[in-house]
Amino acid sequence: MDKTKKKRKRLIFRSAVLVLLLGLVAFAVIGNLSKDNAVVAEGEEAPNFQLKQFGTNGKTMSLEDLEGKGVMLNFWATYCKPCEAEMPYMQKLYPKYKDKGVEIVGVNLDATKMIVNKFIDEYDLTFPNLHDEGGQVMDLYNVGQIPSTYFINEDGVVVEKVVGPLTLEKLDSYLQQIQPKG
Amino acid sequence: MNRIKCECGHVNPEGTVLCEACGKPVEGNQHIDGNEKDKLLNMRYEGSARRSKTYNRNLVDKTWNFFSSVKVGVWLIVITLIASSLGTIFPQEMYIPPGADPATHYEEQYGLAGQIYYQLGFHNLYSSLWYMLLIALIGVSLVICSIDRVVPLHRALKKQKPKRHHTFLKRQRLFSQTEGDVDIEKFISRLKKQRYRVTRQDDSILAEKGRFSRWGPYVNHIGLIIFLLGALLRFIPAMYVDDFVWVREGETVVIPSTHGEYYVKNKNFILETYNEKENERFQAALQQEAAPVPSNYQTNAVIYKRTDPRVVGAEPELEPINEAEIRVNEPAKFNGFALYQSSFQQNEFTKMSFKLHETGNEEKVLGEFTIDLTSPKTEYELDSGARVVIDQYYPEYYLDNGEPRSKSKYPKNPAFVFYVYPPGEEKPEISFAGIGMNIDATGENDYKLNLAGFDTRDVTGLTVKKDYTLPFLGIGGLIFMIGVIQGMYWNHRRIWLQKSKDKVWIAGHTNKNWYGIKRDIEKVIEGTGIEMPEDQQQLKG
């Protein structure tokens, strides 16, 4: 009787210690893995922000303004060559998807407005481009490399995060994914 | 569970090597500590039953026993050491040049070895999953090994009796047999003088000192575990932040990792150098240096707290909370955060002035204008009626396959394509001008733009730190050291004496410093008639 009791006690003690240690290890591993892509991951809600829009004399736009629409957020800069390469694709698909309730929004990371305005004119960009002058939205979305593109559905959830340049075909298929239903 | 009853009457748990009470070797268990007949006894853990070596019933027990093995622990440490050294062969990812793509960088720099290094993930070793797991497993092994040894050891030391089995005594390293009469009372009083704790049971005596030294390794492990916990807490942003921000003179930027709550303004960055005249003491040393030796890196900063409801990106309302002079080792502190001076860049361009004059005649000036490089205007009207339009602006100009481009948004090497409209003219002349460059594309320009002056500013690099894990690391380290001292500077010494009709046996054991216990014994047996024990290990070896 005494023996089985003792054995049970030992089993409970060992299990408790192992569970505790396993918990700590899991915490460390998850903590470390999520450190690198900390803030906005696929499947998470895209955090709100508010920035000034180019070509509007300082009018601001926020992500909340686009509620109910699919939103493609493209982080770019004029000095970034691959960003420049994908601009025509975005412009090409923009009118088609705008009608279907998808908004393409560029978040520009340049310092000088003049350079960006010239760039927008040169490529005839008609989708809204916002100025993230202090890099705050970039920080919020933890964008490391540009171009980086977030595809957000009508519920405000990030469906896809693409780091690096997009082809026309890929862009088209991602945009289809965030097209509002109904 | 088979308990083992010793002939002295004590019931030992299964796996016991030496009876907890009298020390008699338990038959059938001697292989555990490698005790051979007639040889000295292995006194490791007092011959107590390490449970790990006995039960192996279910998964929990099996896991437990795996980690309880010191062999496993040592292997984990060896593997970790080897892995850690592999990580130093080539630079880690965070140290390769910024902007370099690790996928190609390692191969380009180090060839095939570099590619293998990258593909096996050694370029990011110290935060890789498997490396973390190795460290974690060492932690687990540490905890379980300690629990599994400290409990039986404690029990064995508590239960030991002065009266020991004759084989236990005979097979100690220090042992002697004296025939005839000896002065036991003198022996005891001498022992007490040497600060031994003496217990007596009939004609058996146990003298012991420094037992607490045996807990040293476990105290040490507790310290290590607290240290590891502290390191774990660094994954919680509320406990630990390590970030970095560049701030240009005159600019106010958000401090990263503060959730947009705090901002910092760089009022001025100061770099001072030692002056030979003012610092005569250092004159000789300073003359040996080719470049000026910096004496101070300083940022005069203002820290602001954001007061309006935070929407990231929107213009903030700021309230200054701290005005500070940040120097190396003198951080600015606010709400648990500290800003440290850690880097700088000098002489970034802020303004450039150009003078327009006739080609070949610098006296004929048509006017001057200044461009603010962070927000240039598109058009500048000069006094003479001439107009200069900026067609292109490259903040950090370089030639990319013959095509001008900018490397970044920072005006480190500004260059412009200007359209110059002379007074009254509708057709512009095209000029390309930058630092040390002035190109007339057509070679037919009647007017030339000359750089007339420029302003620069410095950029300060501040490290953002928050660390609430330091107390854990400090206390862990302290306990670790206490454990080391406890185990290193004290010895657990025991002397047994047993008297039978015509013989007296004396045996001695210590966990370290055999010379010390021999001197103790020499002192306590002086004049008692007891024979000095022989070192049986030395005799055989």
Side-chain angles (χ1 to χ4, degrees), chain A residues 14 28 32 50 81 84 109, chain B residues 61 127 232 312 400 409:
Chain A
R14 287 184 174 183
N32 189 53
Q50 182 188 325
K81 261 183 139 179
E84 193 171 349
L109 303 167
Chain B
D61 287 331
S127 52
L232 269 186
V312 174
D400 178 50
K409 59 181 168 181

Side-chain angles (χ1 to χ4, degrees), chain B residues 107-141:
Chain B
E107 197 188 347
E108 279 163 15
Q109 290 288 313
Y110 312 108
L112 183 68
Q115 194 186 0
I116 294 170
Y117 193 78
Y118 171 74
Q119 274 172 355
L120 290 179
F122 285 116
H123 67 295
N124 224 338
L125 177 76
Y126 303 109
S127 52
S128 71
L129 183 63
W130 64 270
Y131 187 82
M132 292 261 319
L133 274 177
L134 269 179
I135 300 281
L137 290 182
I138 290 177
V140 172
S141 156

